[in-house]
Amino acid sequence: MSDAVKMPARRAIAILAAALFCLGASSPSRAESTALDRYLDGLVSWRADFAQTTLDARGRRRPTQEGTLTVQRPGRFRWEIRAAGASVMQPAQVMVADGRNLWFYDADLEQVTVKPSGGALTATPAMLLAGTVPLREAFTVAAAGRRDGLDWVRATPRGVDAEFREARFGFAGLELRRIEIDDRLGQRVTLVFRGGQRNPDRKSTRLNS
């Protein structure tokens, strides 16, 4: 699998991690509160399957990928991604954050890469994984209306070194259903979640299984 295909997945991981692992240090006023704030309030862990589609800068659709995301706050997640219809037991890519390091396994290359979490994700919203940067310090966050039956929240990075221009989070009540990401290369990545489990038992959210 080429780096051009892999990079959207990594950006999606970073953005989703930022939303899920932020420690709520932003303390928004009632007027500023969005569906994203309400989602993060009381969130300890989460698990969901997803389908990922990517449109390149010319509007061409790349092959759909599927996977599973498991998160534990603060700072830990396991992301598995595979081609649509591929065996669940043989993911093409696995990325695991254990709170200190980021582990990335590429099945095509039979290669494992390990980097400190902070250094690996400094230029992305996942710098919030450590919980040291409040959400609204790193992003401009605003409600973005209702579309496709979902309540949307727009997050725009304040820093100039971010890997994406804008992320939009679609919620149905307290369920995160969709994320749309516009990256700096003109690509749009869409993640559609299903079977989400909010704060399930520990057995369901083990990261090393």
Side-chain angles (χ1 to χ4, degrees):
M1 186 180 296
S2 70
D3 288 342
V5 174
K6 294 173 185 173
M7 284 308 296
R10 297 188 188 186
R11 292 190 181 94
I13 293 169
I15 295 166
L16 184 58
L20 297 178
F21 299 140
C22 175
L23 296 182
S26 54
S27 300
S29 67
R30 181 170 297 181
E32 294 175 325
S33 179
T34 67
L36 177 57
D37 296 291
R38 294 188 290 275
Y39 178 77
L40 294 173
D41 186 24
L43 184 69
V44 177
S45 60
W46 187 66
R47 186 180 190 279
D49 297 323
F50 65 86
Q52 174 182 309
T53 57
T54 302
L55 293 178
D56 67 17
R58 296 183 179 180
R60 295 174 298 192
R61 184 181 297 272
R62 291 177 175 163
T64 298
Q65 296 175 306
E66 297 176 343
T68 301
L69 177 65
T70 304
V71 300
Q72 292 179 358
R73 296 171 69 193
R76 305 178 68 202
F77 69 84
R78 180 185 179 92
W79 173 281
E80 299 183 0
I81 193 167
R82 56 191 178 273
S87 170
V88 175
M89 302 299 295
Q90 297 179 338
Q93 300 176 59
V94 178
M95 186 174 287
V96 177
D98 62 10
R100 294 182 302 175
N101 296 312
L102 186 71
W103 305 72
F104 183 76
Y105 169 68
D106 188 304
D108 291 343
L109 300 178
E110 297 184 346
Q111 179 179 335
V112 176
T113 305
V114 184
K115 296 181 180 180
S117 294
L121 301 174
T122 298
T124 75
M127 62 187 176
L128 297 179
L129 281 169
T132 57
V133 180
L135 178 64
R136 283 170 175 73
E137 202 171 284
F139 298 96
T140 298
V141 180
R146 189 168 178 81
R147 170 170 55 88
D148 299 331
L150 303 175
D151 296 313
W152 290 86
V153 178
R154 179 184 299 110
T156 307
R158 296 182 185 274
V160 297
D161 57 348
E163 294 183 355
F164 69 99
R165 294 187 291 108
E166 180 178 287
R168 294 172 297 280
F169 302 82
F171 296 92
L174 281 179
E175 293 185 41
L176 178 61
R177 292 286 184 83
R178 191 180 305 174
I179 298 179
E180 297 175 350
I181 305 157
D182 294 337
D183 72 14
R184 297 175 71 89
L185 301 178
Q187 301 179 116
R188 174 167 295 179
V189 179
T190 300
L191 297 162
V192 178
F193 299 100
R194 60 185 183 277
Q197 302 176 55
R198 181 183 176 88
N199 298 338
D201 59 73
R202 288 182 176 271
K203 184 177 181 180
S204 299
T205 56
R206 287 185 301 180
L207 302 182
N208 59 354
S209 59

